[in-house]
Amino acid sequence: MSFTFEASLNREMRCHLAGTGSSPALGAAALTDRKLGLVVGCSKVHSFSKPIHGARGLFAMLVVIYHVYNSGLPHVPMPWILHQGFSSMQFGVELFFAISGFVIIGTMRRAATPAQFIVERATRIYPVLWASLPIACAFLILGGRDPFAGYGLLESIGLLIGNFLALGPVLPVPVIYKIAWTLSFEFAFYFMGFIVLLSRRHNRDLTWLMIALGLVMCIFTPRAIFFLAGVLVGTGYAERSPVRYLSRAPGLCILAFLALWQATANPQTPFIDPIYQWGRDFHWLTGPLAFIACTAAINGLVHQRGFVSQILQIRPLLWLGTISFSLYLWHPLVLGTVKDTMRKLALPDMLGVWTQPVFLLIVLPPCLILAAASARLLEGKVTRYLRRRWIGPAHPAKHEQALPL
């Protein structure tokens, strides 16, 4: 059967509803916690959200455009406000984190066992990482930036294994392929979800301990705090709070988040200081407001509010959503190759300030083609194969089953 956009999207929607899809189900559960006497679900949140799916494509493109703008190639002079706007696009990563937090709730609800939960998450991430990491290592070595320089044989093997498992920077493992730093935080929160499910299976609820651990991690690495924004949306807390009134305009909330988080950022790495250093430059104000804006944006998209929710359901953005993870991981390799080639051909000298627009036009087609192929083969066929081997055949989700959270 030929690979088509409609088949891919329909398969993804079926997989979200069945619980073993080729990508994370963007589901919020109708969850109850009888032990705490709290209702933490929202019955109106469906297991697949087209606006959220389209938002993935939008956020992936924000990161691509940021890396083009930050490529060091000449660009058209622009006013300060436009410079800040392009610089803020790097924080599409935080918006992805929020979606992942939303995803975790739906995946935890569907998982029949803790093992199934962690296997679903691992088989979602690892195939594309394992394919892109060796190529990134080869590019670095050929470019004279050997990531293993200064390490012995055993240390190099440990470094490679740590990167294949996406352990750093949450654990003290140097990250070889820099774009993959986000996956370490993904797995940290997946691990916390796994511990919660495992503890409940043995009648020992460690939910609050894992929440405390996550908050401590976020104090030192505030970019990860946006996972919690997605969790608030997925559990229904955001919808039952005053945030729901802000979520009527998710597009404006996205812009507000980018502006406020950019105001909290530093010009160089680390872009965001630890929370305990937010006492200067009004970061104590802009940081929390950015978190609120992000939470409202994701909540508004989940509930399909506002004009932007309709825009995000158009065919091109839904297609970009389908390939967004592959696009995120593969695009730096394409950009690096094309940029080096342009410099060798002295194209920046010829094109002057128009170098970056031309660069974007050149890199987009191969980025999208490579991402589409990766999504079809690695996220599709390889992921499904691994899940069949490690989990077994797909079973319909038991939507009436509630997960205490």
Side-chain angles (χ1 to χ4, degrees):
M1 181 182 296
S2 62
F3 178 78
T4 64
F5 168 71
E6 291 87 351
S8 173
L9 185 59
N10 290 336
R11 182 178 66 246
E12 186 146 3
M13 292 178 69
R14 290 195 305 271
C15 292
H16 278 291
L17 295 173
T20 55
S22 62
S23 62
L26 302 177
L31 310 175
T32 61
D33 193 339
R34 293 183 176 88
K35 183 183 294 185
L36 298 176
L38 296 175
V39 178
V40 295
C42 177
S43 61
K44 294 183 179 179
V45 179
H46 301 290
S47 59
F48 184 86
S49 169
K50 280 189 175 183
I52 287 289
H53 194 69
R56 287 167 153 182
L58 173 64
F59 301 158
M61 285 305 302
L62 289 181
V63 176
V64 173
I65 293 172
Y66 166 75
H67 284 141
V68 169
Y69 180 72
N70 200 47
S71 63
L73 296 173
H75 60 80
V76 177
M78 58 184 64
W80 174 86
I81 191 169
L82 284 181
H83 169 72
Q84 295 298 314
F86 279 107
S87 297
S88 73
M89 290 182 180
Q90 65 177 306
F91 301 126
V93 168
E94 277 81 341
L95 294 167
F96 268 118
F97 282 167
I99 290 179
S100 292
F102 178 44
V103 167
I104 288 173
I105 299 303
T107 312
M108 288 176 67
R109 174 180 179 252
R110 294 192 320 272
T113 65
Q116 179 180 333
F117 167 76
I118 202 66
V119 167
E120 279 195 15
R121 298 303 87 223
T123 53
R124 163 65 174 167
I125 299 295
Y126 280 145
V128 184
L129 175 64
W130 290 347
S132 58
L133 181 58
I135 298 176
C137 289
F139 277 30
L140 289 170
I141 293 171
L142 292 174
R145 295 171 290 171
D146 187 351
F148 306 104
Y151 295 100
L153 177 60
L154 293 180
E155 291 175 320
S156 297
I157 293 174
L159 175 62
L160 192 59
I161 292 174
N163 275 266
F164 269 107
L165 295 177
L167 298 182
V170 171
L171 296 181
V173 177
V175 180
I176 294 174
Y177 189 30
K178 301 305 181 184
I179 196 72
W181 72 268
T182 60
L183 305 185
S184 181
F185 288 96
E186 294 264 1
F187 274 109
F189 280 89
Y190 294 159
F191 178 74
M192 293 176 197
F194 170 77
I195 293 298
V196 167
L197 293 177
L198 186 64
S199 68
R200 289 175 177 176
R201 197 172 182 87
H202 293 85
N203 297 319
R204 298 191 180 191
D205 194 344
L206 298 180
T207 299
W208 293 109
L209 178 61
M210 291 299 103
I211 291 175
L213 180 61
L215 289 173
V216 169
M217 184 172 70
C218 292
I219 289 173
F220 294 94
T221 54
R223 300 187 74 174
I225 202 171
F226 292 94
F227 280 100
L228 301 180
V231 169
L232 290 175
V233 174
T235 55
Y237 280 118
E239 181 64 9
R240 294 193 310 279
S241 73
V243 166
R244 69 174 298 180
Y245 299 107
L246 296 176
S247 67
R248 294 173 179 174
L252 291 178
C253 288
I254 292 173
L255 293 177
F257 158 73
L258 292 174
L260 290 164
W261 202 231
Q262 176 67 15
T264 313
N266 300 314
Q268 305 295 331
T269 57
F271 292 109
I272 304 295
D273 290 325
I275 289 178
Y276 57 80
Q277 295 180 3
W278 281 10
R280 57 183 176 83
D281 298 331
F282 291 97
H283 292 177
W284 56 269
L285 177 62
T286 57
L289 288 177
F291 179 83
I292 293 171
C294 178
T295 305
I298 300 301
N299 192 61
L301 296 180
V302 165
H303 292 276
Q304 301 194 26
R305 297 182 180 130
F307 178 68
V308 169
S309 293
Q310 304 305 313
I311 294 295
L312 290 173
Q313 298 183 59
I314 64 175
R315 180 188 177 101
L317 284 176
L318 290 175
W319 179 74
L320 282 176
T322 300
I323 68 170
S324 58
F325 177 59
S326 287
L327 178 62
Y328 174 77
L329 271 189
W330 286 109
H331 83 270
L333 297 176
V334 177
L335 267 62
T337 302
V338 173
K339 183 171 69 172
D340 289 345
T341 302
M342 292 179 69
R343 283 176 169 167
K344 289 177 181 178
L345 297 175
L347 289 180
D349 296 333
M350 297 170 54
L351 297 171
V353 297
W354 297 103
T355 302
Q356 278 195 12
V358 172
F359 180 47
L360 178 62
L361 292 175
I362 293 174
V363 299
L364 268 184
C367 280
L368 296 176
I369 292 170
L370 181 58
S374 173
R376 178 183 181 184
L377 176 62
L378 300 175
E379 297 184 63
K381 293 182 179 179
V382 173
T383 292
R384 288 195 298 272
Y385 170 78
L386 293 175
R387 288 179 178 175
R388 284 196 300 268
R389 289 291 301 269
W390 296 346
I391 299 177
H395 299 287
K398 297 180 180 179
H399 293 284
E400 73 278 6
Q401 181 180 359
L403 170 70
L405 191 70

